[in-house]
Structures are given as C-alpha cells and as structure tokens.
C-alpha cells in the first residue's frame, strides 16, 4: 500500500489552531508525520462500498428519552466552583474578552 | 493465605458468617498495596486509613444485624476516569491537576449501595487513550508477570491491581478494548458490557458512543457479581437502557452443551503470535469437548474496524475534550492575554502527545471539506460492522476469538509508533463499534517469558449472561485462574 500520495496533506498548524492547542515547531513536525501515516491508513475505508448504507451514530435501540419536567432544587455549587482556577462572586473568572 | 488473595465470592461467604472481618480484609489489602506499589505503580494514589475506617463501619453495621449488600466490605479499585466524591480524578492527565470530584459517578453510588468500598485511583493512559498505560502523565504501570512489560491499556492500573492481588476487583472503562486488552495481558477477567447496560454518568467522556464501564476480577463469578451491582437504567444517562438486571451468577451453570459458538476466520490472521493463536484454538477445542458446537462464521468487515474506530473515537474525543479549557477545572496557563491565548496554552501544556494527536486527528476528520470523506463514511462502515455481528448471531449464541494478537510487549517498544500501537486493538475495537458485549478470560501463557493470554467471548446486545456462562464453563474446566504472578 502506498496511499501516501492519495491521502490529503494534514495541515497541523491550522488544525492545532482550530483545536485550540498551542504547539511548537518541533511538535508540529512530529505530529504531522505521525498523523499523515494514520490518515494514510484510514484511506482504506475508500475501498468499501457504502452506497445506500445508513450511518450509525449510536449502537442503541433508544431514540428519545423523556422525563417529567419537575422542578428540582439544585445542589450546592461550592464544590464545583472550588475546582476553578479562578473564581469570584460565585462565578468563573476568565481573561478579559471585550475591550 | 492473606485475605487479599481471595475472590469476592469466597470473601463474602466468610464475611457473612463473621469468620473474618471487613477490617481484616482492608488491612491485608493495604499491606499488599504498600508492598507491591513501589514496583508496580498500578495506583496513582490510595488512602489506607479511609479504607480501614469504611471497613470498620461495615463490620459495625453487620454486628448490629443490619441488612448487608452483596459486596459488603469488599474494596474495589477505581480507574482514575471515574468521579468519586471528595477524591482527585485526573484521568492520568496533568490538565486535571487539583480537580476534586464534587459527586459520585452512578457506578460508584451503586457500588456503595451494594456495600463495596471504592479504593484508590488506578493509573491509566491519559483520558483512556492508549493500549499500554505508557500515556499516563504520572508514569507507566508495570505488568505483574514481567515488570519490564506493559500491563495493557488504557485500564492498565485496573488490570494490574487485580492480577497482583491488591484488590479483589476493580472498575475500568472500555472504548476500544481498554478493559478486555489489559485483562488479557495481565491474566485476569475483564468485561465490557453492552452499550447502555451501565450508566456513564460520572465517567469522564472519551468517545461517548463507544464508552462503557465494566469490571475486572480474579474470576468470572466475581465479574458477574460486580456487573450485577453496577448495571441498570439511570435517569442521569439517557443512553442507559431500561433492560432488567438479572442475577448474572445464576447463568454460571457450567453447562454449555448444545450452545453454538462462532469462530470468525477474520480473527486468526497472519502475523499474530503463534502461541496466542495456539492457546485460543486449544480453548475452542476445550469448549467443544464440554459439549459446545463450534461453527465457522465470517465477519467480513473486520479489517476496516480499526480505521473506523480511529475516525469516530477521535472525532468524538475532539468534541468531548473541548471542555478542558482552563475555565472550570484543572490547570490554567498563566498571564494569558485573552481567552483564546489561555485555551491554546492551557491545552498545549496540559495534554500529552497521544491526546494531542487524537484531538488534532478528530478535528481533521470533522473539518470542513473532510467530514463526508472520513466521518460520515466511517459511520456507514460502522453500520456494516454492526450488521456483520447481528448476522453472525443468527448462526451462533456467542463468538470466541483471541483477545489480542500478541502477549504483553516491552515498555517503550511501540511508544514512538502510534499506528503500530493501535494495531494491538484489532480484535477488540469492533465490539465497541457494534455496541455488543465481550469478556476476556485467561486461556494460557506464552512459554518464555511466561505471559498471560486471553480468550475473548462476544455476545449479542444484552447477552452478558451468555458470555459469562461460556467464560465460566471454560474457566472451571481449566486451571489458568489459579496461576498468580510472583511479584
């Protein structure tokens, strides 16, 4: 199999930016080579005839699950807030978003 | 014999008759854990004092004559991917440094209701991505049978802890084989339930359409006991199924006469280890001599499973792991100039290489222009893979295969070659894609060095009783479960 020619080139800087993961040049190069190999491997799916086949998102018979819409008292949010790197006034604090 | 070496069913009987106390068991578990952990590193952390206090509480309640659950006083080790209230839950990752679980996962609440005591945090590949536990940010777990080798993954800590008799049972999670593969490589029983059998609430998500929680145990009876305790519909997980939960131990009759067991030709492939193949074939012969009828079957799309898996699992992971952004939990990059800068640097520093690779791959297969070619096509081939199994189950009651193509490999051997590492999951991933159930049970050893080999038994959706029955009949007809590593 020499599908390297067939598989599209992986654009690691663009994908890393989409995924919000900062990488240095060395990591980009290494991951790029490894991912290219993996993408070449998955090209084999092109051999399969999938005409008329429905996609499977989920392997259970269940479609929709409903419950009564009853009011409930939420639990204490303190242990959740405590996990935040920065919090104040019962809120998560993030760097400034708008000028 | 120390109590930590016994099975749950042996312990429960003696605990109920008050021949032993839960506190005695807890002391032996802690002593064993302290003795082997410096060499094994199955646990990221554990608290012996907390276990002992909980065990004493069980003993007091028993002394007062209270009704006790089926797992009363049994310590169960917990993979680091499950929330246990008040404990760390880092998923083997630096990015969850400092996180303390604010609630119990449903399986933990169910274990507690059955009387079991959740114990420690078991090591794993970061966010359950890996087949060797080498991707943990906190060091590799070693295989109790050979400390130079990997225990499998991603639930390597869960498998090693049972194999080394630290705890009688543990919980793990299985997205593409992460229970069955390490169970096989460590010589213990590991079961992946049908998708929807066990609630995933409180399990940190990797690939939501594939993930299931399941037990590791010393034998099939114990696996059946723990499965019964954790199964069932949960309002907090809309994918859990309201199928009744039977007493799985009642299926363990030892009688497989007349049962039809399918042998798929696609699971005996060139390049697989000869000793593994021989052990699996000998196990099939043994089942045949017990009265099962062996039928040749074909699962024609088997060879595409790994490609489908690495598209679907990474796509789902790239979405699921978006939540680790430095806002609500875990670590955060310092002095970020804006949120985008904070996300990128937090994630860049927090995720290890394998998680980064998979998020980028998942982002790629979902990205504009590639979605149809990769993700949609993979979902269609997934349909064909599931259909293969459903058609095969028209001809047989269960399917038997080797769990892995080879025994445990050496630490570092495949670490720099992700694709070769992925190939160690070829016999397990299709089960998750199809959403069916599977169990790995020990079926022998390689000669030199002596390493465990596993037999995989696969069943229809909600066919756990059938696969447990087959695995149990085989186990009882052999002595493999009695072998213990010399750690």
């Amino acid at each position: 199999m020499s599908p390297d020619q067939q598989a599209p080139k992986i654009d690691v800087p663009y994908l890393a930016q989409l995924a919000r993961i900062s990488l240095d040049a060395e990591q980009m190069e290494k991951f790029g080579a490894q991912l290219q190999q993996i993408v070449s491997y998955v090209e084999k799916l092109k051999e399969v005839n999938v005409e008329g086949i429905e996609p499977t998102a989920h392997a259970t018979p269940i479609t929709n699950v409903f419950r009564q819409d009853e009011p409930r008292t939420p639990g204490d949010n303190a242990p959740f807030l405590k996990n935040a790197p920065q919090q104040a006034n019962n809120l998560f604090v993030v760097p400034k978003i708008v000028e | 014999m120390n109590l930590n070496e016994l099975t749950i069913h042996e312990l429960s009987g003696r605990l109920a008759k008050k021949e032993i106390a839960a506190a005695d068991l807890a002391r032996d578990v802690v002593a064993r854990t302290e003795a082997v952990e410096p060499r094994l590193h199955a646990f990221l952390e554990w608290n012996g004092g907390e276990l002992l206090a909980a065990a004493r509480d069980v003993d007091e309640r028993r002394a007062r004559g209270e009704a006790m659950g089926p797992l009363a006083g049994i310590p169960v080790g917990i993979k680091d991917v499950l929330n246990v209230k008040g404990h760390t839950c880092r998923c083997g990752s630096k990015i969850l440094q400092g996180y303390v679980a604010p609630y119990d996962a449903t399986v933990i609440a169910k274990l507690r209701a059955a009387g079991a005591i959740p114990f420690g945090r078991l090591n794993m590949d970061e966010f359950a991505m890996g087949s060797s536990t080498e991707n943990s940010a906190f060091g590799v777990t070693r295989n109790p049978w050979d400390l130079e080798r990997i225990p499998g993954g991603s639930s390597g800590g869960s498998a090693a802890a049972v194999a080394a008799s630290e705890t009688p049972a543990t919980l793990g999670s299985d997205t593409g084989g992460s229970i069955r593969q390490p169970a096989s490589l460590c010589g213990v029983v590991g079961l992946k339930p049908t998708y929807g059998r066990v609630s995933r609430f409180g399990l940190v998500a990797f690939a939501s359409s594939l993930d299931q929680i399941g037990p590791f145990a010393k034998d099939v009876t114990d696996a059946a006991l723990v499965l019964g305790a954790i199964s069932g519909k949960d309002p907090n997980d809309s994918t859990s199924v309201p199928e009744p939960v039977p007493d799985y131990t009642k299926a363990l009759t030892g009688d497989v006469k007349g049962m039809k067991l399918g042998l798929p030709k696609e699971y005996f492939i060139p390049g697989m280890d000869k000793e593994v193949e021989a052990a699996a074939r000998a196990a099939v012969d043994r089942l045949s001599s017990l009265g099962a009828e062996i039928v040749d079957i074909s699962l024609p799309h088997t060879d595409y499973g790994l490609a489908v898996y690495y598209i679907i699992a990474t796509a789902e992971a790239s979405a699921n792991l978006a939540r680790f952004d430095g806002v609500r939990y875990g670590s955060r990059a310092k002095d970020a100039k804006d949120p985008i800068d904070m996300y990128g640097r937090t994630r860049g520093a927090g995720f290890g290489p394998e998680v980064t690779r998979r998020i980028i791959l998942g982002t790629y297969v979902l990205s504009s222009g590639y979605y149809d070619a990769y993700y949609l096509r993979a979902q269609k081939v997934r349909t064909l893979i599931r259909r293969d199994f459903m058609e095969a189950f028209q001809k047989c009651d269960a399917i038997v295969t080797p769990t892995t193509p080879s025994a445990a490999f050496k630490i570092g051997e495949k670490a720099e070659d992700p694709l070769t590492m992925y190939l160690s999951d070829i016999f397990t991933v299709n089960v998750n894609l199809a959403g069916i159930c599977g169990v790995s049970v020990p079926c022998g050893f390689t000669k030199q060095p002596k390493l465990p080999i596993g037999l995989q038994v696969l069943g229809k959706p909600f066919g756990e009783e059938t696969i447990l029955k087959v695995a149990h009949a085989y186990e009882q007809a052999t002595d493999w479960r009695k072998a213990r590593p010399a750690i």
Side-chain angles (χ1 to χ4, degrees), chain B residues 123-177:
Chain B
N123 199 15
M124 57 186 279
D125 286 300
E126 184 177 6
F127 288 106
M129 297 178 190
S131 311
S132 68
T133 319
E134 290 168 292
N135 296 333
S136 168
F138 308 109
V140 67
T141 295
R142 289 166 186 276
N143 190 311
W145 292 91
D146 180 345
L147 297 175
E148 298 305 308
R149 289 174 191 267
I150 56 99
S154 68
S155 313
S158 301
V162 172
S165 294
E166 289 177 284
T167 56
T170 58
L171 292 187
S173 61
D174 189 316
T175 305

Side-chain angles (χ1 to χ4, degrees), chain B residues 309-381:
Chain B
Y309 176 80
Y310 277 96
I311 291 171
I312 290 177
T314 58
E316 293 185 17
S318 72
N320 273 326
L321 273 65
R323 62 172 60 94
F324 302 106
D325 57 4
V327 174
R328 288 159 296 167
Y329 22 62
S331 58
R332 174 187 285 191
K334 290 216 175 0
D335 307 321
K337 59 182 195 302
D338 56 46
I340 300 291
D341 180 45
M342 181 188 79
Y343 300 151
R345 290 202 286 119
T346 297
R347 290 159 65 79
F351 291 136
E354 181 61 19
V355 173
T356 304
R357 264 193 298 270
R358 293 205 199 184
I359 291 174
I360 291 177
L361 182 60
T363 305
Y364 173 66
V365 300
L366 292 176
S367 63
S368 175
Y370 296 111
Y371 181 94
D372 285 5
Y374 292 109
Y375 187 63
L376 191 62
R377 177 167 280 266
Q379 284 190 314
K380 289 178 179 175
V381 182

Side-chain angles (χ1 to χ4, degrees), chain B residues 440-459:
Chain B
S440 180
V441 61
C443 74
F445 292 91
T446 58
K447 283 201 181 65
Q448 200 60 37
K450 186 183 181 182
L451 300 169
I453 301 170
L455 180 75
Q456 184 176 231
V457 185
L458 307 177

Side-chain angles (χ1 to χ4, degrees), chain B residues 139-214:
Chain B
V140 67
T141 295
R142 289 166 186 276
N143 190 311
W145 292 91
D146 180 345
L147 297 175
E148 298 305 308
R149 289 174 191 267
I150 56 99
S154 68
S155 313
S158 301
V162 172
S165 294
E166 289 177 284
T167 56
T170 58
L171 292 187
S173 61
D174 189 316
T175 305
S178 285
I179 290 174
R180 291 158 289 150
Q181 185 256 20
S184 172
L185 302 190
C186 288
V188 298
V189 175
L191 186 144
K192 185 209 91 79
T194 306
Y195 187 80
R197 175 72 296 185
V198 176
S199 166
R200 295 177 294 111
F201 180 71
L203 166 75
V204 178
F206 160 15
S208 303
S209 81
L210 306 167
D211 297 341
Q212 270 290 289
I213 301 162

Side-chain angles (χ1 to χ4, degrees), chain A residues 8 19-20 22 30 34 39 43-45 47-48 53-54 56-58 60 65 83-86 92-93 95 97, chain B residues 99-100 195 209 238-239 303-304 326-330 332 339 344-345 347-348 357 364 374 377 379-380 383 416:
Chain A
R20 305 281 187 263
S22 302
K30 186 176 171 185
Q34 290 169 332
V39 169
E43 287 291 304
K44 73 198 280 181
L45 291 186
E47 299 161 24
V48 187
I53 304 294
E54 286 293 310
T56 294
H58 221 273
T60 37
V65 178
N83 277 320
Q86 209 185 337
F92 299 117
V93 175
I97 294 170
Chain B
Y99 174 81
V100 176
Y195 187 80
S209 81
S238 60
T239 63
D303 190 37
Y304 298 108
V327 174
R328 288 159 296 167
Y329 22 62
R332 174 187 285 191
R345 290 202 286 119
R347 290 159 65 79
R357 264 193 298 270
Y364 173 66
Y374 292 109
R377 177 167 280 266
Q379 284 190 314
K380 289 178 179 175
T383 303
E416 284 303 308

Side-chain angles (χ1 to χ4, degrees), chain B residues 389-414:
Chain B
F389 279 107
M390 295 310 145
E391 282 168 12
F393 285 126
Q394 304 283 321
K395 298 182 199 122
C396 59
D397 301 301
I399 295 172
V400 283
T401 80
T403 310
T404 61
S406 64
F409 47 89
K410 287 208 165 138
I411 291 169
E413 194 178 318
K414 300 182 182 180

